[in-house]
Amino acid sequence: METVSLQRQSSDPAEECTAVRQLILRVNGVLHDVKDEDPQMSLAEYLRSILQLCGTKTMCHEGGCGCCVVVVEYDDLVNPGKRIIKSINSCLFPLGSLLSLKNHQVITVEALGSVKKGLHPIQQRLADYNGSQCGFCSPGFVMQMYGLLKNNATPSSQEVEDNFDGNVCRCTGYRSILDAMQSFEKDSDTRLSGSLLDIEDLKTCPKTKQPCNRSSLDKVVHCNDPAEGTTHMLFSKDGIKWYQPTTLTKLYLLMQEHASEAMKLVHGDTAKGVYKRDGPYKVLIDLKGIPDLYMVTMEPSGLKVSSNISLSSLIGYLKLYSAQSPSYSVIAHHLLKVANGPVRNAGGWAGNLMMKWKHREFVSDVFVAFEVAGAKVTVSDITEVNTYTLMQFLDVNMQGKLLFCVEIPKLAEGEKMSSYKIMPRMQNAHTYVSAGFRAGIRTWGKKQFIESISMVYTGISNNFNHAVATEKYLQGKDITSNVTLQGALTTLDKEIIPDDNDPLLASAKYRKTLAFGLFYKFFLTLLSDGAVSPCNRSARYALERPVSTGKQTFSSKPEEYPLTKPMPKLSAHLQTSGEAQFIEDLLPLPNELFAVFVLSTEGNATLGIIDSTGAMAVPGAAAVLKAKDIPGSNTFMPPPNEVEEIFSSGPLLYAGQPIALCVADSQHHAVQMVEAVKVTYQDQKPPITTLDEAIEKKSFYPSPGKGLLVGDPVDAISKSSCKVEGEIRAGEQYHFHMETQICRCVPTEDGLDVQAASQWLNLTQQAIAGAIGVQVKDINITTKRLGGAYGGKASRANLVACAVAVAATVFRRPVRCLMDLSTNMKAVGKRHGYIFKYKVGFTEDGTLNGIIITYYCDNGSSPNDNEVGESFMFSDNAYKCKNWQLIPVALKTNRAAHTWCRAPGSKPNIFVIETILEHVAKFLSMDPIVVKQKNLYAQGDTTPMGFLLPYCSIQDLYSSQLTKVDVAGRLQAIKKFNTDNLWKKKGLAVVPLKYCMYWSFGYYLCTVSIFASDGSVIVSHGGIESGQGLNTKVAQVCAYMLGISIDYISIKPTTTNNSPNASATGSSITSELNCLGVQKCCEMLRKRMKPVKDKLPPGTPWKDLVAACFKAKVNLTAQDWVWPDPQPRDAPQYNSYGVTVAEAEIDVLTGENQIIQVDILFDCGESMNPDIDIGQVEGAFVMGMGYWLIEKMIYDPKTGAVLNAGTWDYKPPFSKSIPINFNIELLKNAPNPMGVLRSKASGEPPQCMSCVTLFAVKRAIEAAREDIGQNTYFPLHGPATVDVIQTNCLVDYKNFSI
């Protein structure tokens, strides 16, 4: 892809150097003058909006997702001839900051390669390993790997795995991505000779169109030093000034000159990812051009580091000098847990400390590591230089002052130091509690005495940094005595008083107990092995995570290729090269407007006045649209659904509800408008923000269904020799599609042309038509691909689509609206949350007699996407019981209306029956694995819904999987491990699966057309490609049925014209049914072509056959309206079966956990494409793991507003969240007679087995509780986050001993 600039550009460096007052930015070897650009503009915005390099994606704008990663290289100011190369988050990096990097170069994914010119090996392998599903995250992964390989051409597998601590992928489950990237590690069998091609090797000469030997990419151009002039002013406009001094003297003079103004010193500027509303600043001074601020020296007293040193560089220096002091390795290890690689590459230690200085609540791990090490910082200005301890620094008036350097002392002889950071997730997360400890020990005989000690904490309260009283208590104490340990803990108990007024924080109880546990860990490390009881030694060590591995086992039929062939998605190469175009990548049309929602901040009130005066004063403002401006119906859910207003007409049902739309000539101006809108509220009432409150207040929607009654469960339970009852909960889950909600509408003479990120074009089409008061025929919707969806873009996509359609209709101009992540998370509902209450009767051997379950489901502010009562076919999972009563209750709360999310209904329903079997087993003191096996269905059994199971294989699958993965042997090993270790525990669990697949509610129009001129084929269908491989499977089926190469086939974008009236893409059936439709189309075509073919010689080429058919007037287009009839008695089309075994390990003291191994056996019939199906299994399972173990929605208890609307506080799984050993087997020799070409679906069923990870963790918790005599049943609600796990272990410091 050629680099494009809307400004004057030149490839001649000499010409650029002669220009007067040019500010040169170099991107992919092309020079751009940015003198007229705002230096505060993010690099990502400049790349996408100005240079139109849209391979770089954006999503979170916090440095938390990795979509926007690019590579930057520049001269090292203090080491002439050396180039610094690093990956950064372009969404955080200011444009102006690049200009102070001497001879810089920005490299984006476009420079690496393209499908037409040739792919870089990273792009090629990521695609070939099936590491790209929706593709939105792929360029970020490619560039992050490129940055690693540019610095280290032969990385180890550990270095490769550590590299991706800042990249999110919601689709793949990471396994395939890691496999692709680990193929570059130095010991890999798949590493290709010379595989790391430099980007220069892939450039093409624009004149000759031949490969260049060298290009402008590898020339160093000495023309982009900071702007000339005595003030080094880069920019001055609208009262904002940006400076780039090159010496300390000039910096001090500038700081003195502007001391009275709002001033900010800029290095990496990553702080705005945390504190987005800091400012506004009138003066910004970029420090990166000052060589004196890059000094690092190893002094006799310690390591002296200047303030321009990034966190990554600091870590490197600490490792380099680790032989000088053991503490340097400790600090380096701790700092590796700060944010992620790209953030550490850009952000510095000084900026981190300044955040702590300005925001005392900021949980700074730099502060903890430096303070416990006894570091001192130097603060300077034009008149003086002063040195402070870290505690003193917090109280220094930094107005007009520079944090100049830090000196990190060496440990004194006899000193030991450790630090700890306990996070919600292993990577890229802020801390619950961090602690650092340093102690000087004097040994006298067998005794060890504390001579000095420092105990530093963050995460307890804003002002608690040192455990002063405990430090004082320990002075001179013998640490080989349990009396000393308990005395210190008792003292610590008195002085640790955690804040408990912030819903975003973990509970005060957890953080306090965690503080005790971290001190205990350090205390034991001070003692020799001989002094510590063997069962307590595990307390000293963190969980060790080796490099992850995985195995994928499947079969295929080469004789049927391309059907059953394991192959990447057809668009994979376009995705990994950044060429796959998403809606936000569409270049703005002339006169296009941009829209941003105004959201309510009250959750149960009446809208008062919307004052748009300030908003309309923003340059480029077009309008603030309100409910009265809607030309049609004010609802984005067409009849017969209940009304859900596009903009509130008065009633406010939840905090985050859209109340207006700001429309302007740019996204930036529209955001400014939103910030200037003033809203008043009336009739505020306390919102219903929890399920418990809704139940208590009987806030219910009308009955969502009759429920299910089979047999007489009340009588069966009452007559059972054993019975239990209980309650279990499952929380919500944000879909976390990497492409947030987006739509563009363009008025035409034919109505509206709409590019919608929607899974359900028919519904969106109806909604838009109703909102603007036209007929459906006037709305033309096109969707090429989605950057993830998972149900979040089914009905909910209508909100943004209708709002944009209204704006486009009002202005008769193109309008687009891209929800930012925060708006998306606040305005749009999530997976439904549940409270389940159950009663169960059973025999003494565990056989189920009767089950009663009440499902309390939170629908939020609307019941439109209700799932409770509609998913009872999953409630039995794989278990037989004669007597059932299932009672659905739909709760009404003041939250955004919840919606379908991958495996809706099925996932929670299966979780509750699995919980019941676990409860039964605990009551009987039996292994749940045995109890589950005893109750499994057999072939020929009948389900509670009255469905016969003629092909049920679950008993055989269950027993074979237990044997295959050696469950019995592993359970014995786990038992021994748990006996030997008091503070680390392991657990193993098994979850089977019976998943009902229904086809009768899916309907799509499929069309196959053959071109007479060359025999090529185009296919259109009604499904939406969102990463699941739909288009690839359709093409495989088409090629197989027609007997041609898949290269002949092109799948066209889905539109309301080529597939009108289609149902939603979802429920795992869309790929199947569109494949079925295309299969039927091909059968029609073959039948029409057969008479002609029979007259031709055998082996006639396809192209000639097509030409002959055309000449014979054969219709070469076939259509099929696929809408399967229901099975008798509304039975499922078929059932999928599976068994998953998971093994977990937990740290009892902290709640940290890891899934050691997962083995999934899944019945996929005869897979149409094993690569795609295994990718679906892995991705679904890991998304489920996130739901059960990590992801937690947090609401303001007073307003109901979403508090964790961003990557800072909402944590989907990362690459080190996945199972360490992740094995997938697709059941062999299992053709599905009721499926399409003998296949079964794979998108959702595997996610329903992901609760096995929670139960494995629960086994480990049970082992910890048994050690303290607590052996009764307890519920483990989802999500079982780190704090929940530790709290359920019932940790009590009084049980701590040496």
Side-chain angles (χ1 to χ4, degrees):
M1 179 175 178
E2 293 191 3
T3 306
V4 179
S5 175
L6 297 182
Q7 302 170 321
R8 177 180 180 273
Q9 45 179 275
S10 170
S11 59
D12 184 355
E15 178 186 342
E16 294 292 347
C17 291
T18 62
V20 179
R21 281 297 300 166
Q22 284 188 325
L23 299 176
I24 302 302
L25 190 69
R26 193 165 186 241
V27 180
N28 298 338
V30 178
L31 306 179
H32 305 274
D33 184 1
V34 296
K35 68 178 185 298
D36 295 324
E37 304 296 345
D38 182 353
Q40 297 180 85
M41 177 191 293
S42 73
L43 175 58
E45 183 180 353
Y46 179 75
L47 293 173
R48 292 179 57 82
S49 300
I50 307 301
L51 300 189
Q52 299 172 3
L53 295 173
C54 295
T56 301
K57 309 304 179 190
T58 58
M59 193 272 273
C60 73
H61 299 278
E62 298 174 327
C65 71
C67 288
C68 67
V69 169
V70 298
V71 169
V72 174
E73 57 176 287
Y74 53 93
D75 288 353
D76 187 333
L77 279 184
V78 294
N79 294 296
K82 180 181 178 182
R83 296 281 283 173
I84 293 174
I85 304 171
K86 58 188 181 184
S87 57
I88 62 167
N89 294 112
S90 61
C91 73
L92 295 180
F93 207 77
L95 191 62
S97 283
L98 281 168
L99 299 175
S100 57
L101 300 177
K102 189 173 183 181
N103 300 321
H104 67 261
Q105 162 94 297
V106 177
I107 303 169
T108 72
V109 70
E110 287 89 351
L112 270 65
S114 66
V115 170
K116 288 186 177 180
K117 294 183 179 181
L119 295 173
H120 190 281
I122 302 172
Q123 297 168 321
Q124 184 75 44
R125 291 196 200 173
L126 184 59
D128 291 349
Y129 277 73
N130 197 38
S132 181
Q133 288 189 18
C134 84
F136 200 87
C137 70
S138 299
F141 275 95
V142 167
M143 295 311 298
Q144 183 64 12
M145 188 64 188
Y146 181 76
L148 173 65
L149 294 179
K150 286 288 284 186
N151 284 286
N152 180 3
T154 56
S156 67
S157 57
Q158 186 66 63
E159 288 170 326
V160 171
E161 188 145 317
D162 292 343
N163 186 50
F164 298 102
D165 60 352
N167 295 81
V168 176
C169 175
R170 190 55 137 177
C171 292
T172 64
Y174 299 99
R175 179 68 270 144
S176 54
I177 295 175
L178 293 176
D179 285 345
M181 301 311 185
Q182 284 173 349
S183 72
F184 289 97
E185 62 100 355
K186 58 187 176 186
D187 298 320
S188 173
D189 294 335
T190 57
R191 184 175 175 81
L192 303 179
S193 176
S195 63
L196 179 56
L197 302 179
D198 208 345
I199 54 173
E200 291 81 357
D201 299 324
L202 295 171
K203 299 303 289 183
T204 302
C205 175
K207 294 182 179 179
T208 66
K209 305 299 181 184
Q210 298 299 312
C212 298
N213 291 327
R214 293 181 65 80
S215 78
S216 60
L217 277 172
D218 64 350
K219 295 178 183 176
V220 178
V221 183
H222 300 282
C223 63
N224 54 332
D225 290 330
E228 294 298 326
T230 56
T231 63
H232 284 253
M233 181 184 291
L234 179 76
F235 177 88
S236 180
K237 188 177 180 181
D238 300 328
I240 298 174
K241 298 177 181 179
W242 183 293
Y243 294 96
Q244 288 184 331
T246 54
T247 67
L248 280 173
T249 301
K250 291 175 182 177
L251 169 63
Y252 291 143
L253 288 171
L254 283 171
M255 293 174 68
Q256 184 182 51
E257 177 185 349
H258 297 287
S260 61
E261 300 178 69
M263 179 174 57
K264 181 180 183 180
L265 303 182
V266 178
H267 178 248
D269 208 24
T270 55
K272 66 188 178 190
V274 182
Y275 294 104
K276 301 178 181 64
R277 298 191 179 278
D278 270 9
Y281 297 99
K282 295 295 184 181
V283 178
L284 297 102
I285 304 176
D286 191 340
L287 306 178
K288 288 190 292 299
I290 304 174
D292 288 343
L293 295 182
Y294 290 94
M295 296 296 117
V296 178
T297 57
M298 189 66 234
E299 313 260 342
S301 56
L303 184 64
K304 193 171 185 178
V305 184
S306 297
S307 56
N308 265 2
I309 299 300
S310 69
L311 285 167
S312 291
S313 295
L314 174 58
I315 291 166
Y317 284 117
L318 288 165
K319 290 180 177 180
L320 178 66
Y321 293 112
S322 59
Q324 297 283 329
S325 176
S327 59
Y328 292 167
S329 292
V330 172
I331 298 172
H333 180 72
H334 194 95
L335 296 184
L336 279 168
K337 297 180 181 179
V338 174
N340 57 61
V343 170
R344 293 191 298 269
N345 286 340
W349 65 265
N352 189 285
L353 285 185
M354 287 304 299
M355 273 200 291
K356 179 67 174 178
W357 175 85
K358 186 173 183 179
H359 302 277
R360 294 302 172 89
E361 77 283 359
F362 178 60
V363 283
S364 169
D365 285 286
V366 175
F367 178 88
V368 170
F370 283 6
E371 171 63 11
V372 75
K376 293 183 178 181
V377 294
T378 298
V379 176
S380 62
D381 59 21
I382 198 166
T383 61
E384 61 181 358
V385 177
N386 293 295
T387 299
Y388 303 97
T389 66
L390 271 291
M391 291 298 295
Q392 292 169 337
F393 163 73
L394 293 179
D395 296 321
V396 172
N397 180 2
M398 292 297 291
Q399 185 69 29
K401 293 183 172 62
L402 170 71
L403 180 54
F404 180 72
C405 69
V406 63
E407 185 169 330
I408 309 171
K410 304 175 186 178
L411 285 183
E413 187 175 350
E415 280 192 321
K416 291 185 179 181
M417 180 175 136
S418 296
S419 67
Y420 308 90
K421 179 179 182 180
I422 311 304
M423 305 178 281
R425 183 178 60 196
M426 185 170 283
Q427 299 163 286
N428 196 23
H430 62 282
T431 188
Y432 287 123
V433 172
S434 289
F437 306 95
R438 176 170 53 91
I441 306 297
R442 175 172 55 87
T443 302
W444 187 265
K446 293 185 178 181
K447 295 184 178 181
Q448 294 177 262
F449 296 92
I450 297 277
E451 288 193 322
S452 63
I453 188 165
S454 178
M455 301 171 59
V456 182
Y457 286 97
T458 190
I460 302 298
S461 66
N462 292 354
N463 298 312
F464 185 84
N465 297 301
H466 264 276
V468 177
T470 309
E471 291 171 344
K472 184 177 179 180
Y473 167 83
L474 284 167
Q475 294 290 335
K477 294 291 194 303
D478 174 20
I479 60 172
T480 63
S481 167
N482 273 313
V483 173
T484 300
L485 172 61
Q486 283 298 319
L489 289 165
T490 301
T491 307
L492 195 58
D493 188 7
K494 294 175 182 177
E495 67 175 327
I496 287 187
I497 305 174
D499 288 340
D500 198 20
N501 54 5
D502 186 350
L504 283 170
L505 299 177
S507 71
K509 177 182 178 182
Y510 168 69
R511 288 181 287 126
K512 186 167 187 171
T513 308
L514 180 56
F516 299 152
L518 298 182
F519 169 71
Y520 179 48
K521 284 174 172 286
F522 175 68
F523 193 96
L524 293 184
T525 65
L526 298 175
L527 301 167
S528 64
D529 275 353
V532 180
S533 169
C535 65
N536 285 331
R537 291 174 189 168
S538 62
R540 297 186 294 183
Y541 309 111
L543 295 177
E544 295 183 6
R545 181 182 174 91
V547 173
S548 60
T549 60
K551 182 172 66 174
Q552 300 84 38
T553 306
F554 59 87
S555 59
S556 66
K557 293 184 174 181
E559 67 273 16
E560 293 185 359
Y561 283 3
L563 191 70
T564 80
K565 182 179 181 179
M567 58 184 287
K569 287 182 53 181
L570 296 179
S571 60
H573 295 115
L574 288 171
Q575 293 170 187
T576 60
S577 65
E579 295 172 279
Q581 194 174 60
F582 296 88
I583 294 174
E584 182 58 8
D585 300 332
L586 299 173
L587 298 181
L589 296 170
N591 223 22
E592 184 167 328
L593 295 171
F594 298 80
V596 177
F597 283 100
V598 180
L599 306 182
S600 66
T601 56
E602 294 289 333
N604 189 6
T606 301
L607 185 61
I609 297 172
I610 301 176
D611 182 356
S612 58
T613 306
M616 293 308 297
V618 172
V624 177
L625 299 178
K626 307 168 189 175
K628 64 181 179 61
D629 299 308
I630 297 173
S633 302
N634 186 11
T635 178
F636 64 84
M637 290 297 287
N641 294 284
E642 290 197 6
V643 169
E644 289 189 69
E645 292 189 327
I646 303 166
F647 312 131
S648 172
S649 62
L652 294 172
L653 306 181
Y654 65 97
Q657 183 176 347
I659 58 178
L661 190 73
C662 290
V663 185
D665 62 353
S666 71
Q667 181 80 6
H668 178 66
H669 287 152
V671 170
Q672 286 183 315
M673 288 178 68
V674 170
E675 294 171 349
V677 171
K678 296 180 180 179
V679 182
T680 62
Y681 302 93
Q682 302 170 351
D683 307 323
Q684 290 100 323
K685 300 173 184 176
I688 296 175
T689 61
T690 68
L691 282 72
D692 293 288
E693 194 176 357
I695 295 171
E696 179 186 347
K697 294 183 177 180
K698 293 182 168 51
S699 179
F700 304 145
Y701 286 106
S703 176
K706 296 180 180 180
L708 180 69
L709 180 63
V710 178
D712 190 345
V714 174
D715 184 63
I717 293 171
S718 66
K719 292 180 179 178
S720 294
S721 56
C722 305
K723 54 184 73 71
V724 296
E725 60 182 271
E727 175 183 302
I728 193 69
R729 298 167 183 246
E732 299 164 1
Q733 184 176 33
Y734 173 59
H735 301 80
F736 217 93
H737 32 72
M738 303 299 285
E739 175 196 47
T740 51
Q741 300 283 0
I742 183 173
C743 183
R744 182 170 77 173
C745 292
V746 182
T748 69
E749 62 182 30
D750 192 32
L752 272 184
D753 285 354
V754 181
Q755 290 90 37
S758 171
Q759 296 173 246
W760 196 351
L761 302 194
N762 179 39
L763 187 74
T764 301
Q765 184 184 39
Q766 294 176 46
I768 291 175
I772 63 174
V774 300
Q775 291 183 304
V776 168
K777 69 177 177 60
D778 297 322
I779 309 300
N780 311 305
I781 305 181
T782 300
T783 301
K784 174 68 174 176
R785 60 172 58 86
L786 301 180
Y790 323 110
K793 295 176 181 175
S795 67
R796 301 300 96 182
N798 293 359
L799 171 59
V800 65
C802 288
V804 174
V806 167
T809 301
V810 168
F811 288 101
R812 297 301 301 166
R813 292 168 62 178
V815 181
R816 81 171 70 192
C817 177
L818 170 68
M819 280 190 173
D820 61 45
L821 177 61
S822 176
T823 301
N824 204 146
M825 292 189 71
K826 291 175 180 177
V828 178
K830 327 296 182 297
R831 183 189 296 277
H832 297 77
Y834 282 85
I835 296 177
F836 309 96
K837 298 186 178 182
Y838 59 84
K839 297 179 181 178
V840 189
F842 49 96
T843 64
E844 292 179 356
D845 67 355
T847 302
L848 297 172
N849 288 333
I851 299 174
I852 301 174
I853 307 173
T854 303
Y855 300 78
Y856 293 97
C857 174
D858 180 16
N859 277 359
S861 58
S862 172
N864 278 331
D865 292 354
N866 171 67
E867 67 182 31
V868 69
E870 298 180 3
S871 306
F872 285 158
M873 69 287 295
F874 301 105
S875 294
D876 56 337
N877 191 18
Y879 306 112
K880 179 170 59 177
C881 181
K882 294 181 179 179
N883 302 284
W884 296 80
Q885 184 176 12
L886 308 178
I887 306 166
V889 181
L891 302 179
K892 182 178 182 180
T893 61
N894 294 114
R895 294 179 176 176
H898 291 311
T899 189
W900 306 297
C901 185
R902 196 173 193 172
S906 55
K907 183 173 175 178
N909 283 31
I910 287 172
F911 171 63
V912 67
I913 189 63
E914 291 296 321
T915 298
I916 286 172
L917 270 293
E918 298 269 334
H919 197 167
V920 168
K922 192 66 176 178
F923 181 89
L924 296 171
S925 299
M926 294 176 65
D927 189 330
I929 297 172
V930 175
V931 174
K932 292 179 181 183
Q933 189 168 23
K934 186 172 190 62
N935 286 282
L936 290 173
Y937 280 120
Q939 187 167 318
D941 280 342
T942 302
T943 73
M945 304 290 289
F947 307 145
L948 191 66
L949 299 175
Y951 305 107
C952 181
S953 59
I954 191 60
Q955 290 190 3
D956 291 340
L957 297 184
Y958 195 92
S959 58
S960 68
Q961 183 73 337
L962 296 188
T963 302
K964 190 178 301 181
V965 302
D966 190 24
V967 166
R970 289 163 63 187
L971 285 173
Q972 286 299 314
I974 289 171
K975 182 177 181 180
K976 184 179 187 307
F977 178 90
N978 290 341
T979 300
D980 294 343
N981 296 280
L982 201 56
W983 304 109
K984 297 287 189 301
K985 297 294 180 183
K986 292 183 179 181
L988 184 146
V990 181
V991 167
L993 175 72
K994 173 184 68 68
Y995 194 96
C996 311
M997 195 61 63
Y998 288 82
W999 280 2
S1000 57
F1001 58 85
Y1003 38 92
Y1004 309 93
L1005 180 64
C1006 300
T1007 306
V1008 178
S1009 298
I1010 306 171
F1011 288 103
S1013 58
D1014 64 0
S1016 61
V1017 179
I1018 60 170
V1019 179
S1020 66
H1021 57 75
I1024 306 295
E1025 174 62 57
S1026 56
Q1028 79 277 51
L1030 162 61
N1031 286 345
T1032 303
K1033 286 186 174 180
V1034 164
Q1036 287 177 278
V1037 169
C1038 183
Y1040 169 74
M1041 294 300 299
L1042 295 179
I1044 60 177
S1045 167
I1046 204 168
D1047 295 331
Y1048 274 98
I1049 299 166
S1050 174
I1051 311 297
K1052 297 305 177 182
T1054 304
T1055 74
T1056 49
N1057 298 334
N1058 63 28
S1059 187
N1061 305 312
S1063 60
T1065 292
S1067 303
S1068 298
I1069 64 172
T1070 308
S1071 293
E1072 290 188 290
L1073 293 190
N1074 282 286
C1075 284
L1076 177 61
V1078 168
Q1079 178 188 4
K1080 291 181 178 179
C1081 289
C1082 293
E1083 288 172 349
M1084 296 179 208
L1085 291 168
R1086 287 169 57 185
K1087 185 177 180 180
R1088 295 175 195 168
M1089 298 170 76
K1090 188 177 186 304
V1092 178
K1093 183 178 181 180
D1094 289 346
K1095 296 177 182 178
L1096 296 174
T1100 298
W1102 169 254
K1103 181 179 178 181
D1104 295 339
L1105 170 61
V1106 171
C1109 289
F1110 182 71
K1111 188 175 182 180
K1113 300 182 181 181
V1114 173
N1115 181 359
L1116 295 176
T1117 294
Q1119 281 190 332
D1120 183 68
W1121 174 245
V1122 57
W1123 190 345
D1125 293 328
Q1127 292 294 304
R1129 299 185 63 185
D1130 287 327
Q1133 181 73 19
Y1134 61 83
N1135 291 291
S1136 289
Y1137 296 95
V1139 183
T1140 299
V1141 180
E1143 184 176 342
E1145 182 179 9
I1146 67 170
D1147 186 317
V1148 175
L1149 293 171
T1150 66
E1152 293 170 298
N1153 59 91
Q1154 57 188 12
I1155 305 303
I1156 299 171
Q1157 182 169 329
V1158 164
D1159 297 277
I1160 299 176
L1161 175 61
F1162 180 64
D1163 172 15
C1164 206
E1166 282 187 8
S1167 171
M1168 293 185 192
N1169 185 324
D1171 270 4
I1172 285 177
D1173 285 328
I1174 285 175
Q1176 288 293 289
V1177 173
E1178 291 173 335
F1181 191 86
V1182 170
M1183 183 177 180
M1185 284 181 60
Y1187 178 61
W1188 296 117
L1189 297 176
I1190 306 173
E1191 299 176 52
K1192 180 182 179 182
M1193 290 301 306
I1194 303 174
Y1195 295 87
D1196 188 319
K1198 295 181 180 178
T1199 66
V1202 174
L1203 294 178
N1204 57 337
T1207 58
W1208 180 249
D1209 289 296
Y1210 188 83
K1211 302 298 180 186
F1214 261 53
S1215 58
K1216 287 190 179 180
S1217 305
I1218 71 172
I1220 296 170
N1221 189 6
F1222 196 8
N1223 304 312
I1224 314 293
E1225 180 181 355
L1226 300 184
L1227 185 64
K1228 298 177 182 178
N1229 303 317
N1232 176 21
M1234 301 299 291
V1236 180
L1237 297 170
R1238 304 167 301 282
S1239 69
K1240 289 188 178 182
S1242 59
E1244 292 181 326
Q1247 190 167 100
C1248 296
M1249 295 187 284
S1250 61
C1251 59
V1252 70
T1253 57
L1254 179 142
F1255 292 122
V1257 167
K1258 190 171 188 285
R1259 291 293 85 73
I1261 297 173
E1262 289 171 352
R1265 292 164 70 106
E1266 288 171 7
D1267 286 341
I1268 57 173
Q1270 296 290 333
N1271 200 23
T1272 56
Y1273 176 80
F1274 67 96
L1276 185 61
H1277 307 299
T1281 51
V1282 169
D1283 54 323
V1284 169
I1285 291 169
Q1286 192 258 24
T1287 302
N1288 274 286
C1289 287
L1290 306 178
V1291 177
D1292 185 344
Y1293 74 79
K1294 295 175 182 176
N1295 294 325
F1296 296 176
S1297 64
I1298 298 172

